[in-house]
Coordinates of all heavy atoms in Angstrom, one line a residue:
M1 N 2.1 -20.7 -79.6 CA 1.9 -20.1 -78.3 C 3.3 -19.8 -77.7 O 4.1 -20.7 -77.6 CB 1.0 -20.9 -77.4 CG 1.0 -20.4 -76.0 SD 0.4 -21.6 -74.8 CE -1.3 -21.3 -74.9
T2 N 3.4 -18.7 -77.1 CA 4.6 -18.4 -76.4 C 4.2 -18.2 -74.9 O 3.3 -17.5 -74.6 CB 5.3 -17.1 -76.9 OG1 5.6 -17.3 -78.3 CG2 6.5 -16.7 -76.2
I3 N 5.0 -18.8 -74.0 CA 4.8 -18.6 -72.6 C 6.1 -18.3 -71.9 O 7.2 -18.6 -72.5 CB 4.1 -19.9 -71.9 CG1 5.0 -21.1 -72.1 CG2 2.8 -20.2 -72.5 CD1 4.5 -22.3 -71.3
S4 N 6.0 -17.8 -70.7 CA 7.2 -17.5 -69.9 C 7.1 -18.4 -68.6 O 6.0 -18.4 -68.0 CB 7.2 -16.1 -69.6 OG 8.3 -15.8 -68.7
I5 N 8.2 -19.1 -68.3 CA 8.2 -19.9 -67.1 C 9.4 -19.6 -66.2 O 10.4 -19.1 -66.7 CB 8.1 -21.4 -67.4 CG1 9.4 -21.8 -68.2 CG2 6.8 -21.8 -68.1 CD1 9.5 -23.3 -68.3
S6 N 9.2 -19.9 -64.9 CA 10.4 -19.7 -64.0 C 10.9 -21.1 -63.6 O 10.0 -22.0 -63.3 CB 9.9 -19.0 -62.7 OG 9.6 -17.7 -63.1
L7 N 12.2 -21.3 -63.6 CA 12.8 -22.6 -63.3 C 13.7 -22.4 -62.1 O 14.3 -21.3 -62.0 CB 13.5 -23.2 -64.4 CG 12.8 -23.5 -65.7 CD1 13.8 -24.0 -66.8 CD2 11.8 -24.6 -65.4
T8 N 13.8 -23.4 -61.3 CA 14.9 -23.4 -60.3 C 16.2 -23.4 -60.9 O 16.3 -23.8 -62.1 CB 14.8 -24.6 -59.3 OG1 15.0 -25.8 -60.1 CG2 13.4 -24.7 -58.6
P9 N 17.3 -22.9 -60.3 CA 18.6 -23.0 -60.9 C 19.0 -24.4 -61.3 O 19.6 -24.6 -62.3 CB 19.5 -22.4 -59.8 CG 18.6 -21.5 -59.0 CD 17.3 -22.2 -59.0
E10 N 18.6 -25.4 -60.5 CA 18.9 -26.8 -60.8 C 18.2 -27.3 -62.1 O 18.8 -27.9 -62.9 CB 18.5 -27.7 -59.6 CG 19.3 -27.5 -58.4 CD 18.8 -26.3 -57.5 OE1 17.6 -25.9 -57.7 OE2 19.5 -25.8 -56.6
A11 N 16.9 -26.9 -62.2 CA 16.2 -27.3 -63.4 C 16.7 -26.6 -64.6 O 16.9 -27.2 -65.7 CB 14.7 -27.0 -63.2
E12 N 17.1 -25.3 -64.5 CA 17.6 -24.6 -65.6 C 19.0 -25.2 -66.0 O 19.2 -25.4 -67.2 CB 17.9 -23.1 -65.2 CG 18.4 -22.3 -66.4 CD 18.7 -20.9 -66.0 OE1 18.3 -20.4 -65.0 OE2 19.3 -20.2 -66.9
S13 N 19.8 -25.6 -65.1 CA 21.1 -26.2 -65.4 C 20.9 -27.5 -66.2 O 21.5 -27.8 -67.2 CB 21.9 -26.5 -64.1 OG 23.0 -27.2 -64.4
K14 N 19.9 -28.4 -65.7 CA 19.7 -29.6 -66.4 C 19.1 -29.4 -67.8 O 19.5 -30.1 -68.7 CB 18.7 -30.5 -65.5 CG 19.3 -31.1 -64.3 CD 18.4 -32.0 -63.6 CE 19.1 -32.6 -62.4 NZ 18.2 -33.5 -61.7
L15 N 18.3 -28.4 -67.9 CA 17.7 -28.1 -69.2 C 18.8 -27.6 -70.2 O 18.9 -28.0 -71.3 CB 16.6 -27.0 -69.1 CG 15.9 -26.6 -70.4 CD1 15.1 -27.8 -70.9 CD2 14.9 -25.4 -70.1
R16 N 19.7 -26.8 -69.7 CA 20.8 -26.3 -70.5 C 21.7 -27.5 -70.9 O 22.2 -27.6 -72.0 CB 21.6 -25.3 -69.8 CG 20.9 -23.9 -69.7 CD 21.8 -22.9 -69.0 NE 21.1 -21.6 -68.9 CZ 20.8 -20.8 -69.8 NH1 21.2 -21.0 -71.1 NH2 20.1 -19.6 -69.6
Q17 N 22.0 -28.4 -70.0 CA 22.8 -29.6 -70.3 C 22.2 -30.4 -71.3 O 22.8 -30.9 -72.3 CB 23.0 -30.4 -69.0 CG 24.0 -29.8 -68.0 CD 24.0 -30.5 -66.7 OE1 23.4 -31.5 -66.5 NE2 24.8 -30.0 -65.7
R18 N 20.9 -30.7 -71.2 CA 20.2 -31.5 -72.2 C 20.2 -30.8 -73.5 O 20.4 -31.5 -74.5 CB 18.7 -31.7 -71.7 CG 18.0 -32.7 -72.7 CD 16.7 -33.1 -72.2 NE 16.8 -33.9 -70.9 CZ 15.8 -34.6 -70.4 NH1 14.6 -34.6 -70.9 NH2 16.0 -35.2 -69.3
A19 N 20.0 -29.5 -73.6 CA 20.0 -28.8 -74.8 C 21.4 -28.9 -75.5 O 21.5 -29.1 -76.7 CB 19.6 -27.3 -74.6
A20 N 22.4 -28.8 -74.7 CA 23.8 -28.9 -75.2 C 24.0 -30.3 -75.8 O 24.6 -30.5 -76.9 CB 24.8 -28.6 -74.1
V21 N 23.6 -31.3 -75.0 CA 23.8 -32.7 -75.5 C 23.1 -33.0 -76.8 O 23.6 -33.6 -77.7 CB 23.4 -33.7 -74.4 CG1 23.2 -35.1 -74.9 CG2 24.3 -33.7 -73.2
L22 N 21.9 -32.4 -76.9 CA 21.0 -32.6 -78.1 C 21.4 -31.7 -79.2 O 21.0 -31.9 -80.4 CB 19.6 -32.5 -77.8 CG 19.0 -33.5 -76.8 CD1 17.5 -33.1 -76.4 CD2 19.0 -34.9 -77.4
G23 N 22.2 -30.7 -78.9 CA 22.5 -29.7 -80.0 C 21.4 -28.9 -80.4 O 21.3 -28.5 -81.5
Q24 N 20.5 -28.6 -79.5 CA 19.3 -27.8 -79.8 C 19.2 -26.6 -78.8 O 19.9 -26.6 -77.8 CB 18.0 -28.6 -79.5 CG 17.9 -29.8 -80.5 CD 16.6 -30.7 -80.2 OE1 16.1 -30.6 -79.1 NE2 16.2 -31.4 -81.2
D25 N 18.4 -25.6 -79.2 CA 18.3 -24.4 -78.4 C 17.4 -24.7 -77.2 O 16.6 -25.7 -77.2 CB 17.8 -23.2 -79.2 CG 16.4 -23.4 -79.6 OD1 16.2 -23.9 -80.7 OD2 15.5 -22.9 -78.9
L26 N 17.5 -23.9 -76.2 CA 16.8 -24.1 -74.9 C 15.3 -24.1 -75.1 O 14.6 -25.0 -74.6 CB 17.2 -22.9 -74.0 CG 17.4 -23.2 -72.5 CD1 18.3 -24.4 -72.3 CD2 17.9 -21.9 -71.8
G27 N 14.8 -23.2 -75.9 CA 13.4 -23.2 -76.2 C 12.8 -24.4 -76.8 O 11.7 -24.9 -76.4
T28 N 13.5 -25.0 -77.7 CA 13.1 -26.2 -78.4 C 13.0 -27.4 -77.5 O 12.0 -28.1 -77.4 CB 14.0 -26.5 -79.6 OG1 14.0 -25.4 -80.6 CG2 13.6 -27.8 -80.3
V29 N 14.1 -27.5 -76.7 CA 14.1 -28.6 -75.7 C 13.0 -28.5 -74.7 O 12.3 -29.4 -74.4 CB 15.5 -28.7 -75.0 CG1 15.5 -29.7 -73.9 CG2 16.6 -29.0 -76.1
A30 N 12.8 -27.2 -74.2 CA 11.8 -27.0 -73.2 C 10.4 -27.3 -73.8 O 9.5 -27.9 -73.2 CB 11.8 -25.6 -72.7
S31 N 10.2 -26.8 -75.0 CA 8.9 -27.1 -75.7 C 8.6 -28.5 -75.9 O 7.5 -29.0 -75.6 CB 8.9 -26.3 -77.0 OG 7.7 -26.6 -77.7
D32 N 9.7 -29.3 -76.3 CA 9.5 -30.7 -76.5 C 9.2 -31.4 -75.2 O 8.3 -32.3 -75.2 CB 10.8 -31.3 -77.1 CG 11.0 -30.9 -78.6 OD1 10.1 -30.3 -79.2 OD2 12.1 -31.1 -79.1
L33 N 9.9 -31.1 -74.1 CA 9.6 -31.7 -72.9 C 8.2 -31.4 -72.4 O 7.5 -32.3 -71.9 CB 10.7 -31.2 -71.8 CG 12.1 -31.8 -72.0 CD1 13.0 -31.0 -71.1 CD2 12.1 -33.2 -71.8
L34 N 7.8 -30.2 -72.5 CA 6.4 -29.9 -72.1 C 5.4 -30.6 -72.9 O 4.4 -31.1 -72.4 CB 6.2 -28.3 -72.2 CG 4.9 -27.8 -71.7 CD1 4.6 -28.2 -70.2 CD2 4.8 -26.3 -71.8
E35 N 5.6 -30.7 -74.2 CA 4.7 -31.4 -75.1 C 4.6 -32.8 -74.7 O 3.5 -33.4 -74.6 CB 5.2 -31.2 -76.5 CG 4.3 -31.9 -77.6 CD 3.1 -31.0 -77.9 OE1 3.2 -29.8 -77.8 OE2 2.1 -31.5 -78.4
Q36 N 5.7 -33.5 -74.4 CA 5.7 -34.9 -74.0 C 5.0 -35.0 -72.7 O 4.2 -36.0 -72.5 CB 7.2 -35.4 -73.8 CG 7.9 -35.5 -75.1 CD 9.4 -35.9 -74.9 OE1 9.8 -36.3 -73.8 NE2 10.2 -35.7 -75.9
A37 N 5.2 -34.1 -71.8 CA 4.6 -34.2 -70.4 C 3.1 -34.1 -70.5 O 2.4 -34.8 -69.7 CB 5.2 -33.2 -69.5
I38 N 2.6 -33.3 -71.4 CA 1.1 -33.1 -71.4 C 0.4 -34.1 -72.4 O -0.8 -34.2 -72.3 CB 0.7 -31.7 -71.7 CG1 1.2 -31.2 -73.1 CG2 1.2 -30.8 -70.6 CD1 0.8 -29.9 -73.5
T39 N 1.1 -34.7 -73.3 CA 0.5 -35.6 -74.2 C 0.6 -37.1 -73.8 O -0.2 -37.9 -74.3 CB 1.0 -35.5 -75.6 OG1 2.4 -35.7 -75.6 CG2 0.7 -34.1 -76.2
R40 N 1.5 -37.4 -72.9 CA 1.7 -38.8 -72.5 C 0.6 -39.1 -71.5 O 0.2 -38.3 -70.7 CB 3.0 -39.1 -71.8 CG 4.2 -39.1 -72.7 CD 5.4 -39.5 -72.0 NE 6.5 -39.5 -72.9 CZ 7.8 -39.5 -72.5 NH1 8.1 -39.4 -71.2 NH2 8.8 -39.5 -73.4
P41 N 0.1 -40.3 -71.5 CA -0.9 -40.7 -70.4 C -0.3 -40.7 -69.0 O 0.9 -41.0 -68.9 CB -1.4 -42.1 -70.8 CG -0.5 -42.6 -71.9 CD 0.3 -41.4 -72.4
S42 N -1.1 -40.3 -68.1 CA -0.6 -40.3 -66.7 C -0.5 -41.7 -66.2 O -1.1 -42.7 -66.8 CB -1.6 -39.5 -65.8 OG -2.8 -40.2 -65.7
V43 N 0.1 -41.9 -65.0 CA 0.2 -43.2 -64.4 C -1.2 -43.7 -64.1 O -1.6 -44.9 -64.3 CB 1.1 -43.2 -63.2 CG1 1.0 -44.5 -62.4 CG2 2.5 -42.9 -63.5
D44 N -2.1 -42.8 -63.6 CA -3.5 -43.2 -63.3 C -4.2 -43.7 -64.6 O -4.9 -44.7 -64.5 CB -4.2 -42.1 -62.7 CG -3.9 -41.9 -61.2 OD1 -3.4 -42.8 -60.6 OD2 -4.1 -40.8 -60.7
E45 N -4.0 -43.0 -65.7 CA -4.6 -43.4 -66.9 C -4.1 -44.8 -67.4 O -4.9 -45.6 -67.9 CB -4.4 -42.4 -68.0 CG -5.1 -41.1 -67.7 CD -4.7 -39.9 -68.7 OE1 -3.5 -39.9 -69.1 OE2 -5.5 -39.1 -69.0
L46 N -2.8 -45.0 -67.2 CA -2.2 -46.3 -67.7 C -2.7 -47.4 -66.8 O -2.9 -48.6 -67.3 CB -0.7 -46.2 -67.6 CG 0.0 -45.3 -68.6 CD1 1.5 -45.2 -68.3 CD2 -0.2 -45.9 -70.0
L47 N -2.9 -47.2 -65.5 CA -3.3 -48.2 -64.6 C -4.8 -48.4 -64.5 O -5.2 -49.4 -63.9 CB -2.7 -47.9 -63.2 CG -1.2 -48.0 -63.0 CD1 -0.8 -47.6 -61.6 CD2 -0.7 -49.4 -63.4
A48 N -5.6 -47.5 -65.1 CA -7.0 -47.6 -64.9 C -7.6 -49.0 -65.4 O -8.4 -49.6 -64.7 CB -7.7 -46.5 -65.7
P49 N -7.2 -49.5 -66.5 CA -7.7 -50.8 -66.9 C -7.4 -51.9 -65.9 O -8.3 -52.8 -65.6 CB -7.1 -51.1 -68.3 CG -6.7 -49.8 -68.8 CD -6.3 -49.0 -67.6
A50 N -6.2 -52.0 -65.4 CA -5.8 -53.0 -64.4 C -6.6 -52.8 -63.1 O -7.1 -53.8 -62.6 CB -4.3 -52.9 -64.2
R51 N -6.7 -51.6 -62.7 CA -7.5 -51.3 -61.5 C -9.0 -51.7 -61.6 O -9.6 -52.3 -60.7 CB -7.4 -49.8 -61.1 CG -6.0 -49.4 -60.6 CD -6.0 -48.0 -60.3 NE -4.7 -47.6 -59.7 CZ -4.1 -46.5 -59.8 NH1 -4.7 -45.5 -60.5 NH2 -2.9 -46.3 -59.2
K52 N -9.5 -51.5 -62.8 CA -10.9 -51.9 -63.1 C -11.0 -53.4 -63.0 O -12.0 -53.9 -62.4 CB -11.3 -51.3 -64.4 CG -12.8 -51.6 -64.8 CD -13.2 -51.1 -66.1 CE -14.6 -51.4 -66.4 NZ -14.9 -51.6 -67.8
Q53 N -10.1 -54.1 -63.7 CA -10.2 -55.5 -63.7 C -10.0 -56.1 -62.3 O -10.8 -57.0 -61.9 CB -9.0 -56.0 -64.6 CG -9.1 -57.5 -64.9 CD -8.1 -58.0 -65.9 OE1 -7.1 -57.3 -66.1 NE2 -8.2 -59.2 -66.4
V54 N -9.2 -55.5 -61.5 CA -9.0 -56.0 -60.1 C -10.3 -55.8 -59.3 O -10.8 -56.7 -58.6 CB -7.8 -55.3 -59.4 CG1 -7.8 -55.6 -57.9 CG2 -6.5 -55.8 -60.0
A55 N -10.9 -54.6 -59.5 CA -12.1 -54.3 -58.8 C -13.2 -55.2 -59.2 O -14.0 -55.7 -58.3 CB -12.5 -52.8 -59.0
E56 N -13.3 -55.5 -60.5 CA -14.4 -56.4 -61.0 C -14.2 -57.8 -60.6 O -15.1 -58.6 -60.6 CB -14.5 -56.2 -62.5 CG -15.1 -54.9 -62.9 CD -15.0 -54.7 -64.4 OE1 -14.4 -55.5 -65.1 OE2 -15.6 -53.7 -64.9
S57 N -12.9 -58.2 -60.3 CA -12.6 -59.6 -59.9 C -13.1 -60.0 -58.5 O -13.4 -61.1 -58.2 CB -11.1 -59.8 -60.0 OG -10.5 -59.3 -58.8
G58 N -13.3 -59.0 -57.7 CA -13.8 -59.2 -56.3 C -12.7 -59.8 -55.4 O -13.0 -60.2 -54.3
M59 N -11.4 -59.8 -55.9 CA -10.3 -60.3 -55.0 C -10.1 -59.3 -53.9 O -10.1 -58.1 -54.1 CB -9.1 -60.4 -55.9 CG -9.1 -61.5 -56.9 SD -7.6 -61.5 -57.9 CE -6.5 -62.4 -56.8
S60 N -9.8 -59.9 -52.7 CA -9.4 -59.0 -51.6 C -7.9 -58.6 -51.8 O -7.2 -59.1 -52.7 CB -9.5 -59.8 -50.3 OG -8.5 -60.8 -50.3
D61 N -7.5 -57.6 -51.0 CA -6.1 -57.2 -51.1 C -5.2 -58.4 -50.8 O -4.1 -58.5 -51.4 CB -5.8 -56.1 -50.1 CG -6.5 -54.7 -50.5 OD1 -6.9 -54.6 -51.7 OD2 -6.6 -53.8 -49.7
E62 N -5.5 -59.2 -49.9 CA -4.7 -60.3 -49.5 C -4.6 -61.3 -50.6 O -3.5 -61.9 -50.9 CB -5.2 -61.0 -48.2 CG -5.1 -60.2 -47.0 CD -6.2 -59.1 -46.8 OE1 -7.3 -59.2 -47.5 OE2 -6.0 -58.2 -46.1
Q63 N -5.7 -61.6 -51.3 CA -5.7 -62.5 -52.4 C -4.9 -62.0 -53.6 O -4.1 -62.7 -54.2 CB -7.2 -62.8 -52.9 CG -8.0 -63.6 -52.0 CD -9.5 -63.6 -52.4 OE1 -10.0 -62.6 -52.8 NE2 -10.1 -64.8 -52.2
L64 N -5.0 -60.7 -53.8 CA -4.3 -60.0 -54.9 C -2.8 -60.1 -54.6 O -2.0 -60.4 -55.5 CB -4.7 -58.6 -55.1 CG -4.2 -57.8 -56.3 CD1 -4.6 -58.5 -57.6 CD2 -4.7 -56.4 -56.2
D65 N -2.4 -59.8 -53.3 CA -1.0 -59.9 -52.9 C -0.5 -61.3 -53.1 O 0.6 -61.5 -53.7 CB -0.9 -59.5 -51.5 CG 0.5 -59.4 -51.0 OD1 1.3 -58.7 -51.6 OD2 0.8 -60.2 -50.0
G66 N -1.3 -62.3 -52.7 CA -0.9 -63.7 -52.9 C -0.7 -64.0 -54.4 O 0.2 -64.8 -54.7
F67 N -1.6 -63.6 -55.2 CA -1.5 -63.8 -56.6 C -0.2 -63.3 -57.2 O 0.6 -64.0 -57.9 CB -2.7 -63.2 -57.4 CG -2.5 -63.2 -58.9 CD1 -2.7 -64.4 -59.6 CD2 -2.2 -62.1 -59.6 CE1 -2.6 -64.4 -61.0 CE2 -2.0 -62.1 -60.9 CZ -2.3 -63.3 -61.7
F68 N 0.1 -62.0 -56.9 CA 1.3 -61.4 -57.4 C 2.6 -62.0 -56.9 O 3.6 -62.1 -57.5 CB 1.3 -59.9 -57.3 CG 0.4 -59.2 -58.3 CD1 -0.7 -58.5 -57.9 CD2 0.7 -59.3 -59.7 CE1 -1.5 -57.9 -58.9 CE2 -0.1 -58.7 -60.6 CZ -1.2 -58.0 -60.2
R69 N 2.5 -62.4 -55.6 CA 3.7 -63.1 -55.0 C 3.9 -64.4 -55.7 O 5.1 -64.8 -55.9 CB 3.5 -63.3 -53.5 CG 3.7 -62.0 -52.7 CD 3.5 -62.2 -51.2 NE 3.5 -61.0 -50.5 CZ 4.6 -60.3 -50.1 NH1 5.8 -60.8 -50.3 NH2 4.5 -59.2 -49.4
G70 N 2.9 -65.1 -56.1 CA 3.0 -66.4 -56.8 C 3.6 -66.2 -58.2 O 4.5 -66.9 -58.6
V71 N 3.1 -65.1 -58.9 CA 3.7 -64.8 -60.2 C 5.1 -64.5 -60.1 O 6.0 -65.0 -60.9 CB 2.9 -63.7 -60.9 CG1 3.6 -63.2 -62.1 CG2 1.4 -64.1 -61.2
L72 N 5.5 -63.7 -59.1 CA 6.9 -63.3 -58.9 C 7.7 -64.5 -58.6 O 8.8 -64.7 -59.2 CB 7.0 -62.3 -57.8 CG 8.4 -61.7 -57.4 CD1 9.0 -61.0 -58.6 CD2 8.3 -60.8 -56.2
K73 N 7.2 -65.4 -57.8 CA 8.0 -66.7 -57.5 C 8.2 -67.5 -58.7 O 9.3 -68.0 -59.0 CB 7.3 -67.5 -56.4 CG 8.0 -68.7 -56.0 CD 7.3 -69.5 -55.0 CE 8.0 -70.7 -54.5 NZ 8.7 -71.5 -55.5
E74 N 7.2 -67.6 -59.6 CA 7.3 -68.4 -60.8 C 8.4 -67.8 -61.7 O 9.2 -68.5 -62.3 CB 6.0 -68.4 -61.6 CG 4.9 -69.2 -61.0 CD 3.6 -69.1 -61.7 OE1 3.6 -68.7 -62.9 OE2 2.5 -69.5 -61.1
V75 N 8.4 -66.5 -61.9 CA 9.4 -65.8 -62.7 C 10.8 -66.0 -62.1 O 11.7 -66.3 -62.9 CB 9.1 -64.3 -62.8 CG1 10.2 -63.5 -63.5 CG2 7.8 -64.1 -63.6
R76 N 10.9 -65.9 -60.8 CA 12.2 -66.1 -60.2 C 12.7 -67.6 -60.4 O 13.8 -67.8 -60.7 CB 12.2 -65.7 -58.8 CG 12.1 -64.2 -58.6 CD 12.1 -63.8 -57.1 NE 12.1 -62.4 -56.9 CZ 11.8 -61.8 -55.8 NH1 11.3 -62.4 -54.8 NH2 11.9 -60.4 -55.8
D77 N 11.7 -68.5 -60.2 CA 12.1 -69.9 -60.4 C 12.5 -70.2 -61.8 O 13.5 -71.0 -62.0 CB 10.9 -70.8 -60.0 CG 10.6 -70.8 -58.5 OD1 11.5 -70.3 -57.7 OD2 9.5 -71.3 -58.1
E78 N 11.8 -69.6 -62.8 CA 12.2 -69.8 -64.2 C 13.6 -69.2 -64.5 O 14.4 -69.8 -65.2 CB 11.2 -69.1 -65.1 CG 9.8 -69.8 -65.2 CD 8.8 -69.1 -66.0 OE1 9.2 -68.1 -66.7 OE2 7.6 -69.5 -66.0
K79 N 13.9 -68.1 -63.9 CA 15.2 -67.5 -64.1 C 16.3 -68.4 -63.5 O 17.4 -68.5 -64.1 CB 15.3 -66.1 -63.5 CG 14.7 -65.0 -64.3 CD 15.0 -63.7 -63.7 CE 14.9 -62.6 -64.7 NZ 15.3 -61.3 -64.2
K80 N 16.0 -68.9 -62.3 CA 17.0 -69.8 -61.7 C 17.2 -71.1 -62.5 O 18.3 -71.6 -62.5 CB 16.5 -70.2 -60.3 CG 16.7 -69.1 -59.3 CD 16.2 -69.5 -57.9 CE 16.2 -68.4 -56.9 NZ 15.6 -68.8 -55.6
A81 N 16.2 -71.5 -63.2 CA 16.3 -72.8 -63.9 C 17.0 -72.6 -65.3 O 17.5 -73.6 -65.9 CB 14.9 -73.4 -64.2
Q82 N 17.1 -71.4 -65.7 CA 17.8 -71.1 -67.0 C 19.3 -71.3 -66.9 O 19.9 -70.8 -65.9 CB 17.5 -69.7 -67.5 CG 16.1 -69.5 -67.9 CD 15.8 -68.0 -68.3 OE1 16.7 -67.2 -68.2 NE2 14.6 -67.8 -68.7
P83 N 19.9 -72.0 -67.9 CA 21.3 -72.2 -67.8 C 22.0 -70.8 -68.1 O 21.5 -70.0 -68.8 CB 21.6 -73.1 -69.0 CG 20.4 -73.1 -69.9 CD 19.3 -72.6 -69.0
R84 N 23.2 -70.7 -67.5 CA 23.9 -69.4 -67.6 C 25.0 -69.5 -68.5 O 25.7 -70.3 -68.8 CB 24.3 -68.9 -66.2 CG 23.1 -68.5 -65.4 CD 23.6 -68.0 -64.1 NE 22.4 -67.7 -63.3 CZ 22.2 -66.8 -62.5 NH1 23.2 -65.9 -62.2 NH2 21.1 -66.6 -61.8

């Protein structure tokens, strides 16, 4: 399929730079980027299982916040305890 798109001058410049770095023509780089953008899962799709689990847990926002703050504290404490 062939399509025509309009880019801002900034986007075009970045696309040209990327093509030059990769040693590929503009069309190939643009096609690859578009392919990646439409085939990768969205952030919502990636987070859906976690959101479902949280919803099913019945935890309040405050409880969830407390849980994650506790996990963050544990990780930070472990890092501090590691010898450098």
